[in-house]
Amino acid sequence: SGWQCMASLPLLRAYLLSGQFKVNGDINRDNPLGTGGKILEEFSELMHFMWSGKYGARAPQKFRSFLAKVRPQYSGADQQDAQELLNDMFDMLHEDGNRVRKKPYVEALEDKFVEKTDLTRVGQEAWRRFLRRNRSAISDLSMGQVYNRVTCPHCNHSSKNFDPFNMLSL
């Protein structure tokens, strides 16, 4: 069901079915956090299979077998959590299509900057820094950031930051 949800995202579907990731040179085969572009290619192939209109209902055995090779937790017959699968899939697709070939070290926002700067500007700077290491169709289409504020109950110190996400739990 997780793959069906992803297959129903119009912009992701269009990106994969059109082969833009091949034309644009988005496949990052050298990213140690990815699968060498294989999940991106295999999921695109699965999408073509699902949306071709040539087949009835079929189990995606080839894709599932490949997924089990790169993520052993999916190798058995155990029922998997759909949210965990979706999160892993978005992460793998993002890393396989990450256009940043050499990820630079990026400093975290300084507390003084966060305290003295307008929240909108802080959010923009946090996103700019995130994009220095993360540029993919997935980050363009389905990633965002959430504002977090944590306050220590003992000393009352408050920490504020923006964290990236690819899905929000309800």
Side-chain angles (χ1 to χ4, degrees), residues 100-114:
V100 178
R101 302 299 188 213
K102 287 190 172 189
K103 293 186 177 196
Y105 174 74
V106 177
E107 292 278 341
L109 295 175
E110 294 180 15
D111 287 342
K112 287 181 182 180
F113 173 77
V114 174

Side-chain angles (χ1 to χ4, degrees), residues 82-118:
Q83 182 178 354
E84 180 184 346
L85 172 68
L86 286 170
N87 191 48
D88 281 349
M89 284 295 300
F90 276 122
D91 186 54
M92 288 184 287
L93 290 171
H94 164 67
E95 294 297 349
D96 277 4
N98 196 346
R99 295 183 287 268
V100 178
R101 302 299 188 213
K102 287 190 172 189
K103 293 186 177 196
Y105 174 74
V106 177
E107 292 278 341
L109 295 175
E110 294 180 15
D111 287 342
K112 287 181 182 180
F113 173 77
V114 174
E115 287 297 323
K116 294 180 179 184
T117 309
D118 176 65

Side-chain angles (χ1 to χ4, degrees), residues 127-141:
W127 190 247
R128 187 188 71 78
R129 289 179 186 209
F130 173 77
L131 292 178
R132 289 189 63 207
R133 295 177 53 88
N134 300 282
R135 293 295 309 203
S136 71
I138 298 299
S139 65
D140 294 343
L141 298 174

Side-chain angles (χ1 to χ4, degrees), residues 4-169:
Q4 290 173 325
C5 290
M6 292 180 76
S8 297
L9 297 171
L11 296 174
L12 177 61
R13 181 176 63 236
Y15 174 74
L16 293 172
L17 291 178
S18 70
Q20 280 181 313
F21 63 95
K22 294 176 185 174
V23 175
N24 297 344
D26 288 351
I27 300 176
N28 189 338
R29 299 203 186 278
D30 301 321
N31 186 345
L33 301 174
T35 67
K38 295 295 186 186
I39 280 288
L40 188 57
E41 293 172 324
E42 292 289 334
F43 193 62
S44 174
E45 187 176 314
L46 177 61
M47 293 283 276
H48 280 279
F49 177 81
M50 292 171 72
W51 288 96
S52 70
K54 296 178 185 176
Y55 310 99
R58 287 213 172 142
Q61 296 300 349
K62 182 180 177 199
F63 182 76
R64 189 176 186 287
S65 295
F66 182 77
L67 179 63
K69 288 179 187 174
V70 296
R71 291 289 195 271
Q73 69 264 34
Y74 299 113
S75 63
D78 297 341
Q79 183 72 22
Q80 300 297 328
D81 181 59
Q83 182 178 354
E84 180 184 346
L85 172 68
L86 286 170
N87 191 48
D88 281 349
M89 284 295 300
F90 276 122
D91 186 54
M92 288 184 287
L93 290 171
H94 164 67
E95 294 297 349
D96 277 4
N98 196 346
R99 295 183 287 268
V100 178
R101 302 299 188 213
K102 287 190 172 189
K103 293 186 177 196
Y105 174 74
V106 177
E107 292 278 341
L109 295 175
E110 294 180 15
D111 287 342
K112 287 181 182 180
F113 173 77
V114 174
E115 287 297 323
K116 294 180 179 184
T117 309
D118 176 65
L119 191 59
T120 302
R121 174 71 184 104
V122 173
Q124 290 169 339
E125 180 59 21
W127 190 247
R128 187 188 71 78
R129 289 179 186 209
F130 173 77
L131 292 178
R132 289 189 63 207
R133 295 177 53 88
N134 300 282
R135 293 295 309 203
S136 71
I138 298 299
S139 65
D140 294 343
L141 298 174
S142 65
M143 286 183 158
Q145 60 184 2
V146 63
Y147 175 69
N148 287 314
R149 186 171 130 192
V150 178
T151 303
C152 176
H154 300 292
C155 69
N156 217 23
H157 173 73
S158 185
S159 174
K160 304 169 190 170
N161 67 335
F162 284 87
D163 293 320
F165 66 85
N166 62 13
M167 70 171 53
L168 292 173
S169 299

